[in-house]
Amino acid sequence: IEVMLQEPFTHGKKIATISLQALPITQENVTQLILSASGDIAEAASNIFATLHQADAGHYDIILAEPLPEKGL
């Protein structure tokens, strides 16, 4: 996600990121949607659909999502 945020197509856009835990993102135009502050995979799995709805309701120009680990789900 951090690499994608450096791409020119993201500049000036309202962006949401969806990730397991908080990322070191400092751009003002980015809202981080965190699936589990503690990094708990089960908690993240239970929060995924609500987080997707939150991202959709936010009318973001771009939504970037981090892949979740395949183990532990």
Side-chain angles (χ1 to χ4, degrees), residues 22-67:
L23 300 171
I25 297 172
T26 58
Q27 290 96 325
E28 292 182 14
N29 62 321
V30 178
T31 299
Q32 291 193 60
L33 304 176
I34 310 303
L35 297 173
S36 172
S38 66
D40 182 274
I41 297 296
E43 179 185 11
S46 69
N47 290 334
I48 189 70
F49 288 110
T51 303
L52 290 171
H53 286 292
Q54 183 182 359
D56 185 48
H59 303 287
Y60 295 97
D61 299 313
I62 299 170
I63 299 171
L64 300 173
E66 171 183 70

